[in-house]
Amino acid sequence: MASLTSFDLEKRKRLPTLFEVLSRYTLAPVDLFSFYIYMRDQQRSVDYLDFWLDVSQHMSLCRHYVRELRRSVLIATPEGGSRPSSTILENIPDIPVEAGPSGYHAASNEKDADSRLSAFLRSENPAQPSPPESGHSEKHTPEERPPRPSFMNSTPETRYDSSNSPGHTVTRTDIRRSAEKILYTYLIPDSEREIVLPPEMLTSIIDMVERDARDDPEVFDQAKDYVFQAMERDAFPGFLQAKALGNLVPLSILARLAFGLISFLGAFWASFYVVLTDKSRTTRCWVILPFAVASYFITTYQYKIDPFMALLGFSEYTFMNWQKIQEPYVGSLLTQRALVTLAYAFLFAAALSILFIFVPGTYL
């Protein structure tokens, strides 16, 4: 991940894009970790995000392989000598590790570098198609399936350390296995975590991997773009609304609704009791307390935000688990919405309390 400086964060006075989230250019609560939790718990379509991440990791693996190969060729080539592979490798410049969909906000030299990388991998002697590994037929329940991204087991302090370089020398066999793993995990019909793609796109990918023995990144470019656009259209707007305009998860929101309705029931019962028994106005002032509690929880349900937690700088990512808000613009948005929510809760509670305090009392 590119380093996030305070200047970069202050300069971005807007909500992030999906590309920025996937590239880990954002901080909590609109970071990749939070988006993964949202896709898993609320959208129930985390397999699409995992596919995108695995294809990006495959691209990083290919780049690391070519980088190591170029380094070994340069070391092995005597000074003044020349080798065809050395010339080809010199034409592949270094590319940033993080990559969005092909052609998405990318400079032309980066797109050319991607094409040259794939062309070089195709120019090497292709590996023979290998039969599906046992992992293709294995089925794992959600409980048995290991967590996919490394940041799911990370701490907030180490979550943004996203080095994609493997801890070993990458071989062509590793690239081949990576491509087959993506194919057999997400794309083959009835696979472990099958995602829905257009039939012609799916057939093309299967043919390229199994029949043509291709494992270069261009094999998955169309599918990666398709999944990116699907997430951008169907999931990302809801994610921004949930995390940038609120700080509660659905279960917490429903719990607040239930507690608010129960509090309102108690508030109205107490209010009618003090009115129908003609209690003094001093005694009636006690109805302010249940109305304040009920108004607070109902408004937090309506606006999907806990004002006090937002003012303290916290956002809920799973039920009753909170994380510190680190994205400056999101923090300012939530602070403004928290103040507005508190104002509405105060006005609502004040109106109902005044009504029952000053209404004439009577005995039945």
PDB file of all heavy atoms in Angstrom, residues 25 65 83 86 155 160 166 168 188 195 240 242 247 252 270 285 289-290 298 360:
ATOM      1  N   TYR A  25      -5.895   2.674   0.277  1.00  0.00           N
ATOM      2  CA  TYR A  25      -5.529   4.081   0.414  1.00  0.00           C
ATOM      3  C   TYR A  25      -6.420   4.787   1.435  1.00  0.00           C
ATOM      4  O   TYR A  25      -6.379   6.015   1.533  1.00  0.00           O
ATOM      5  CB  TYR A  25      -5.658   4.793  -0.935  1.00  0.00           C
ATOM      6  CG  TYR A  25      -4.692   4.328  -1.997  1.00  0.00           C
ATOM      7  CD1 TYR A  25      -5.042   4.377  -3.337  1.00  0.00           C
ATOM      8  CD2 TYR A  25      -3.436   3.841  -1.655  1.00  0.00           C
ATOM      9  CE1 TYR A  25      -4.162   3.949  -4.315  1.00  0.00           C
ATOM     10  CE2 TYR A  25      -2.560   3.413  -2.631  1.00  0.00           C
ATOM     11  CZ  TYR A  25      -2.923   3.465  -3.954  1.00  0.00           C
ATOM     12  OH  TYR A  25      -2.049   3.046  -4.928  1.00  0.00           O
ATOM     13  N   TYR A  65       7.597 -12.556  -9.863  1.00  0.00           N
ATOM     14  CA  TYR A  65       8.327 -13.554 -10.651  1.00  0.00           C
ATOM     15  C   TYR A  65       9.180 -12.887 -11.719  1.00  0.00           C
ATOM     16  O   TYR A  65      10.370 -13.201 -11.876  1.00  0.00           O
ATOM     17  CB  TYR A  65       7.322 -14.520 -11.288  1.00  0.00           C
ATOM     18  CG  TYR A  65       7.921 -15.422 -12.344  1.00  0.00           C
ATOM     19  CD1 TYR A  65       8.735 -16.502 -12.000  1.00  0.00           C
ATOM     20  CD2 TYR A  65       7.664 -15.177 -13.695  1.00  0.00           C
ATOM     21  CE1 TYR A  65       9.270 -17.329 -12.970  1.00  0.00           C
ATOM     22  CE2 TYR A  65       8.198 -15.999 -14.669  1.00  0.00           C
ATOM     23  CZ  TYR A  65       9.000 -17.065 -14.311  1.00  0.00           C
ATOM     24  OH  TYR A  65       9.538 -17.881 -15.276  1.00  0.00           O
ATOM     25  N   ARG A  83      21.353 -11.139 -24.122  1.00  0.00           N
ATOM     26  CA  ARG A  83      20.497 -12.317 -24.196  1.00  0.00           C
ATOM     27  C   ARG A  83      19.107 -11.859 -24.604  1.00  0.00           C
ATOM     28  O   ARG A  83      18.656 -10.809 -24.164  1.00  0.00           O
ATOM     29  CB  ARG A  83      20.420 -13.035 -22.841  1.00  0.00           C
ATOM     30  CG  ARG A  83      21.743 -13.682 -22.435  1.00  0.00           C
ATOM     31  CD  ARG A  83      21.569 -14.495 -21.179  1.00  0.00           C
ATOM     32  NE  ARG A  83      22.824 -15.064 -20.738  1.00  0.00           N
ATOM     33  CZ  ARG A  83      22.947 -15.845 -19.666  1.00  0.00           C
ATOM     34  NH1 ARG A  83      21.880 -16.141 -18.946  1.00  0.00           N
ATOM     35  NH2 ARG A  83      24.119 -16.336 -19.319  1.00  0.00           N
ATOM     36  N   SER A  86      16.872 -11.119 -21.716  1.00  0.00           N
ATOM     37  CA  SER A  86      17.239  -9.901 -21.011  1.00  0.00           C
ATOM     38  C   SER A  86      16.632  -8.685 -21.681  1.00  0.00           C
ATOM     39  O   SER A  86      16.147  -7.760 -21.028  1.00  0.00           O
ATOM     40  CB  SER A  86      18.763  -9.777 -20.941  1.00  0.00           C
ATOM     41  OG  SER A  86      19.130  -8.583 -20.306  1.00  0.00           O
ATOM     42  N   THR A 155      -4.197  -6.898  13.597  1.00  0.00           N
ATOM     43  CA  THR A 155      -4.610  -5.911  14.579  1.00  0.00           C
ATOM     44  C   THR A 155      -4.729  -4.566  13.899  1.00  0.00           C
ATOM     45  O   THR A 155      -4.198  -4.362  12.814  1.00  0.00           O
ATOM     46  CB  THR A 155      -3.572  -5.827  15.709  1.00  0.00           C
ATOM     47  OG1 THR A 155      -2.328  -5.400  15.149  1.00  0.00           O
ATOM     48  CG2 THR A 155      -3.395  -7.189  16.364  1.00  0.00           C
ATOM     49  N   TYR A 160      -2.536  -2.299   8.072  1.00  0.00           N
ATOM     50  CA  TYR A 160      -2.186  -1.593   6.846  1.00  0.00           C
ATOM     51  C   TYR A 160      -0.792  -1.939   6.343  1.00  0.00           C
ATOM     52  O   TYR A 160      -0.305  -1.337   5.412  1.00  0.00           O
ATOM     53  CB  TYR A 160      -2.306  -0.082   7.069  1.00  0.00           C
ATOM     54  CG  TYR A 160      -3.684   0.290   7.524  1.00  0.00           C
ATOM     55  CD1 TYR A 160      -3.952   0.567   8.873  1.00  0.00           C
ATOM     56  CD2 TYR A 160      -4.748   0.302   6.633  1.00  0.00           C
ATOM     57  CE1 TYR A 160      -5.233   0.875   9.294  1.00  0.00           C
ATOM     58  CE2 TYR A 160      -6.028   0.603   7.056  1.00  0.00           C
ATOM     59  CZ  TYR A 160      -6.256   0.886   8.377  1.00  0.00           C
ATOM     60  OH  TYR A 160      -7.521   1.187   8.796  1.00  0.00           O
ATOM     61  N   PRO A 166       5.854 -12.422  -1.657  1.00  0.00           N
ATOM     62  CA  PRO A 166       5.908 -13.672  -0.909  1.00  0.00           C
ATOM     63  C   PRO A 166       7.252 -13.826  -0.228  1.00  0.00           C
ATOM     64  O   PRO A 166       8.244 -13.219  -0.598  1.00  0.00           O
ATOM     65  CB  PRO A 166       5.705 -14.737  -2.002  1.00  0.00           C
ATOM     66  CG  PRO A 166       6.144 -14.078  -3.262  1.00  0.00           C
ATOM     67  CD  PRO A 166       5.826 -12.610  -3.106  1.00  0.00           C
ATOM     68  N   HIS A 168       9.215 -16.285  -0.354  1.00  0.00           N
ATOM     69  CA  HIS A 168      10.053 -17.286  -0.996  1.00  0.00           C
ATOM     70  C   HIS A 168      10.216 -16.912  -2.454  1.00  0.00           C
ATOM     71  O   HIS A 168       9.531 -16.028  -2.976  1.00  0.00           O
ATOM     72  CB  HIS A 168       9.415 -18.677  -0.878  1.00  0.00           C
ATOM     73  CG  HIS A 168       8.041 -18.746  -1.475  1.00  0.00           C
ATOM     74  ND1 HIS A 168       7.818 -19.007  -2.817  1.00  0.00           N
ATOM     75  CD2 HIS A 168       6.816 -18.555  -0.922  1.00  0.00           C
ATOM     76  CE1 HIS A 168       6.518 -18.992  -3.059  1.00  0.00           C
ATOM     77  NE2 HIS A 168       5.888 -18.713  -1.923  1.00  0.00           N
ATOM     78  N   ILE A 188     -15.208 -22.572 -11.922  1.00  0.00           N
ATOM     79  CA  ILE A 188     -15.746 -23.840 -12.403  1.00  0.00           C
ATOM     80  C   ILE A 188     -17.150 -24.038 -11.840  1.00  0.00           C
ATOM     81  O   ILE A 188     -17.395 -23.780 -10.661  1.00  0.00           O
ATOM     82  CB  ILE A 188     -14.825 -25.007 -11.981  1.00  0.00           C
ATOM     83  CG1 ILE A 188     -13.493 -24.924 -12.719  1.00  0.00           C
ATOM     84  CG2 ILE A 188     -15.485 -26.348 -12.246  1.00  0.00           C
ATOM     85  CD1 ILE A 188     -13.585 -25.199 -14.196  1.00  0.00           C
ATOM     86  N   ILE A 195     -18.795 -17.893  -8.240  1.00  0.00           N
ATOM     87  CA  ILE A 195     -19.377 -16.587  -8.472  1.00  0.00           C
ATOM     88  C   ILE A 195     -20.055 -16.590  -9.832  1.00  0.00           C
ATOM     89  O   ILE A 195     -19.704 -17.386 -10.712  1.00  0.00           O
ATOM     90  CB  ILE A 195     -18.326 -15.463  -8.402  1.00  0.00           C
ATOM     91  CG1 ILE A 195     -17.273 -15.638  -9.482  1.00  0.00           C
ATOM     92  CG2 ILE A 195     -17.685 -15.422  -7.021  1.00  0.00           C
ATOM     93  CD1 ILE A 195     -16.263 -14.499  -9.548  1.00  0.00           C
ATOM     94  N   LEU A 240     -20.811   2.885   1.832  1.00  0.00           N
ATOM     95  CA  LEU A 240     -20.557   4.278   2.199  1.00  0.00           C
ATOM     96  C   LEU A 240     -21.669   4.832   3.072  1.00  0.00           C
ATOM     97  O   LEU A 240     -21.413   5.566   4.033  1.00  0.00           O
ATOM     98  CB  LEU A 240     -20.411   5.126   0.940  1.00  0.00           C
ATOM     99  CG  LEU A 240     -19.122   4.948   0.127  1.00  0.00           C
ATOM    100  CD1 LEU A 240     -19.119   5.892  -1.065  1.00  0.00           C
ATOM    101  CD2 LEU A 240     -17.883   5.177   0.992  1.00  0.00           C
ATOM    102  N   ALA A 242     -23.532   3.163   5.101  1.00  0.00           N
ATOM    103  CA  ALA A 242     -23.485   2.530   6.424  1.00  0.00           C
ATOM    104  C   ALA A 242     -22.308   3.027   7.249  1.00  0.00           C
ATOM    105  O   ALA A 242     -22.430   3.180   8.471  1.00  0.00           O
ATOM    106  CB  ALA A 242     -23.418   1.013   6.265  1.00  0.00           C
ATOM    107  N   ASN A 247     -22.772   4.786  12.084  1.00  0.00           N
ATOM    108  CA  ASN A 247     -21.724   4.033  12.771  1.00  0.00           C
ATOM    109  C   ASN A 247     -22.275   2.821  13.505  1.00  0.00           C
ATOM    110  O   ASN A 247     -21.693   2.352  14.482  1.00  0.00           O
ATOM    111  CB  ASN A 247     -20.956   4.931  13.745  1.00  0.00           C
ATOM    112  CG  ASN A 247     -21.823   5.422  14.902  1.00  0.00           C
ATOM    113  OD1 ASN A 247     -23.050   5.364  14.846  1.00  0.00           O
ATOM    114  ND2 ASN A 247     -21.184   5.914  15.961  1.00  0.00           N
ATOM    115  N   SER A 252     -27.475  -3.973  15.752  1.00  0.00           N
ATOM    116  CA  SER A 252     -27.495  -2.920  16.772  1.00  0.00           C
ATOM    117  C   SER A 252     -28.623  -1.931  16.506  1.00  0.00           C
ATOM    118  O   SER A 252     -29.272  -1.437  17.439  1.00  0.00           O
ATOM    119  CB  SER A 252     -26.149  -2.198  16.796  1.00  0.00           C
ATOM    120  OG  SER A 252     -26.124  -1.207  17.796  1.00  0.00           O
ATOM    121  N   ALA A 270     -46.415   6.195  32.048  1.00  0.00           N
ATOM    122  CA  ALA A 270     -46.143   7.092  33.179  1.00  0.00           C
ATOM    123  C   ALA A 270     -46.798   8.453  32.964  1.00  0.00           C
ATOM    124  O   ALA A 270     -47.340   9.061  33.907  1.00  0.00           O
ATOM    125  CB  ALA A 270     -44.627   7.251  33.358  1.00  0.00           C
ATOM    126  N   CYS A 285     -42.553  16.232  35.962  1.00  0.00           N
ATOM    127  CA  CYS A 285     -41.259  16.446  35.295  1.00  0.00           C
ATOM    128  C   CYS A 285     -40.448  15.164  35.182  1.00  0.00           C
ATOM    129  O   CYS A 285     -39.514  15.091  34.368  1.00  0.00           O
ATOM    130  CB  CYS A 285     -40.454  17.510  36.042  1.00  0.00           C
ATOM    131  SG  CYS A 285     -41.083  19.187  35.828  1.00  0.00           S
ATOM    132  N   LEU A 289     -37.422  11.908  31.777  1.00  0.00           N
ATOM    133  CA  LEU A 289     -36.398  10.860  31.710  1.00  0.00           C
ATOM    134  C   LEU A 289     -36.753   9.741  30.730  1.00  0.00           C
ATOM    135  O   LEU A 289     -35.963   9.450  29.817  1.00  0.00           O
ATOM    136  CB  LEU A 289     -36.154  10.299  33.112  1.00  0.00           C
ATOM    137  CG  LEU A 289     -35.057   9.241  33.223  1.00  0.00           C
ATOM    138  CD1 LEU A 289     -33.723   9.806  32.760  1.00  0.00           C
ATOM    139  CD2 LEU A 289     -34.964   8.730  34.662  1.00  0.00           C
ATOM    140  N   PRO A 290     -37.941   9.092  30.842  1.00  0.00           N
ATOM    141  CA  PRO A 290     -38.242   8.019  29.869  1.00  0.00           C
ATOM    142  C   PRO A 290     -38.413   8.543  28.453  1.00  0.00           C
ATOM    143  O   PRO A 290     -38.041   7.854  27.495  1.00  0.00           O
ATOM    144  CB  PRO A 290     -39.533   7.399  30.408  1.00  0.00           C
ATOM    145  CG  PRO A 290     -40.132   8.443  31.281  1.00  0.00           C
ATOM    146  CD  PRO A 290     -38.987   9.187  31.871  1.00  0.00           C
ATOM    147  N   ILE A 298     -34.841   6.021  19.416  1.00  0.00           N
ATOM    148  CA  ILE A 298     -35.601   6.054  18.176  1.00  0.00           C
ATOM    149  C   ILE A 298     -34.871   6.868  17.111  1.00  0.00           C
ATOM    150  O   ILE A 298     -34.827   6.493  15.938  1.00  0.00           O
ATOM    151  CB  ILE A 298     -37.015   6.621  18.426  1.00  0.00           C
ATOM    152  CG1 ILE A 298     -37.854   5.621  19.221  1.00  0.00           C
ATOM    153  CG2 ILE A 298     -37.712   6.951  17.107  1.00  0.00           C
ATOM    154  CD1 ILE A 298     -38.098   4.294  18.510  1.00  0.00           C
ATOM    155  N   PRO A 360     -53.807  19.964  31.469  1.00  0.00           N
ATOM    156  CA  PRO A 360     -54.577  19.941  32.720  1.00  0.00           C
ATOM    157  C   PRO A 360     -54.825  18.512  33.199  1.00  0.00           C
ATOM    158  O   PRO A 360     -55.146  17.626  32.401  1.00  0.00           O
ATOM    159  CB  PRO A 360     -55.892  20.631  32.340  1.00  0.00           C
ATOM    160  CG  PRO A 360     -55.539  21.473  31.152  1.00  0.00           C
ATOM    161  CD  PRO A 360     -54.493  20.707  30.406  1.00  0.00           C
TER     162      PRO A 360
END
